[in-house]
Amino acid sequence: MESSGASSFLRNRNLESFLNASSIDTFGVSSKALAKDEVGYRPRTDGYVDEDGWFSELISWIRIVTCFLSMMVTTFIWALIMVVLIPWPYERIRQGNIYGHVTGRLLMWILGNPIKFEGLEYADEKAIYICNHASPIDIFLIMWLTPTGTVGIAKKEIIWYPLFGQLYVLANHLRIDRSNPTAAIKSMREPAHAVVKSNLSLIIFPEGTRSKNGRLLPFKKGFVHLALQSRRPVVPVVLTGTHLAWRKGSLHVRPAPLTVKFLPPIKTDEWTADHIDEYVEMIHDMYVKHLPESQRPHSSNAATRNNSVS
């Protein structure tokens, strides 16, 4: 992933050396090795058998409570750091990324899901990263894997999310008003300007909401507007299995195997505003191609049914 510095240490170093982890063997493999052979971690089995017994429920609750307490501790520590760094916006962004690398990786270790990585050589681009969204686990993975110098973009109401929302704002991440589609398009100019001016990357969930069943939803157009204004390449990140590991509306975390696949960057230098729908459909079709059948949308024209922006 990153070649030097504290962020590289936090994203790449083997946690097993001091956490004695055994459930996520991937953590013992460097990102360069994973990227080289495109294999990463091979799940223990090809299939996944759901477990709903009382013991599985108990372990799940222990993991969730441990995740929550761990996140409270790291959030409190980094909130203090952010307050000290209020006069230095870029440093707050950097510290927010380091917080994500520490917290995201720690939470994934606690959850214990086996993970397979592909395409990690594309994970250090200055780019607009987009990701399908079907589980809270998606957020943990994105926090961990996005490079230093990346800002998120979310609805303005995120500030009211306990702990995480306040740190999100302190970390100088971006918010938009999605209540008015026309105003939302205009509000994309400020994030695009900030990305270019400060040489940042951006992470966004193009579906605009979390899928209830893991199937890919139609993409909104916000990421294309950002690409047109910033000329950053688009790097699709395809997540599979997270909807099985932690389903929407459930507090039962299951040990389902996960896959994180970074696709090659898509150049946007020659994109034009009169082909926005085509770009949205093209990238949506890429996701359909790389997702398993169980996560593909039922309708082939799902990408074009929603004309709002993210």
Side-chain angles (χ1 to χ4, degrees), residues 46-114:
D46 293 329
Y48 166 66
V49 179
D50 204 351
E51 298 179 3
D52 285 317
W54 69 268
F55 185 74
S56 175
E57 293 275 0
L58 176 62
I59 295 299
S60 173
W61 273 99
I62 292 173
R63 291 184 190 276
I64 289 174
V65 171
T66 305
C67 282
F68 180 74
L69 294 176
S70 301
M71 191 169 183
M72 283 187 64
V73 171
T74 58
T75 301
F76 178 76
I77 293 171
W78 261 272
L80 294 178
I81 295 173
M82 299 295 185
V83 170
V84 173
L85 294 174
I86 282 179
W88 299 279
Y90 181 79
E91 281 302 312
R92 281 188 280 131
I93 293 173
R94 193 176 72 87
Q95 284 298 323
N97 294 144
I98 294 174
Y99 161 82
H101 300 162
V102 173
T103 304
R105 187 166 191 172
L106 178 61
L107 297 184
M108 290 311 303
W109 175 78
I110 293 169
L111 294 178
N113 296 81

Side-chain angles (χ1 to χ4, degrees), residues 143-255:
M143 288 168 58
W144 168 25
L145 295 172
T146 49
T148 301
T150 301
V151 292
I153 184 167
K155 57 186 179 181
K156 65 177 183 179
E157 292 81 5
I158 195 172
I159 192 174
W160 304 115
Y161 290 15
L163 297 176
F164 184 79
Q166 292 76 52
L167 191 67
Y168 181 93
V169 175
L170 278 173
N172 211 36
H173 289 292
L174 307 170
R175 295 177 294 153
I176 60 170
D177 182 1
R178 297 195 309 193
S179 60
N180 184 323
T182 303
I185 292 174
K186 294 180 179 178
S187 69
M188 291 291 174
R189 295 173 184 169
E190 181 180 350
H193 176 72
V195 165
V196 174
K197 180 181 178 181
S198 301
N199 195 27
L200 302 172
S201 293
L202 188 69
I203 178 68
I204 189 170
F205 294 106
E207 295 160 288
T209 188
R210 194 193 318 170
S211 172
K212 294 181 179 180
N213 56 12
R215 291 191 180 275
L216 190 68
L217 299 174
F219 282 1
K220 299 179 184 294
K221 302 177 184 178
F223 76 97
V224 176
H225 286 284
L226 287 165
L228 287 171
Q229 296 178 43
S230 68
R231 296 301 174 182
R232 285 281 190 266
V234 174
V235 176
V237 183
V238 183
L239 303 182
T240 59
T242 60
H243 68 295
L244 298 175
W246 193 340
R247 295 168 183 167
K248 188 169 184 177
S250 171
L251 291 178
H252 187 182
V253 179
R254 297 165 171 84

Side-chain angles (χ1 to χ4, degrees), residues 224 227-234 266-276 278-279 282:
V224 176
L228 287 171
Q229 296 178 43
S230 68
R231 296 301 174 182
R232 285 281 190 266
V234 174
I266 301 166
K267 298 297 184 181
T268 64
D269 298 329
E270 298 182 1
W271 281 14
T272 58
D274 54 340
H275 291 89
I276 289 177
E278 295 175 22
Y279 305 139
M282 174 189 70

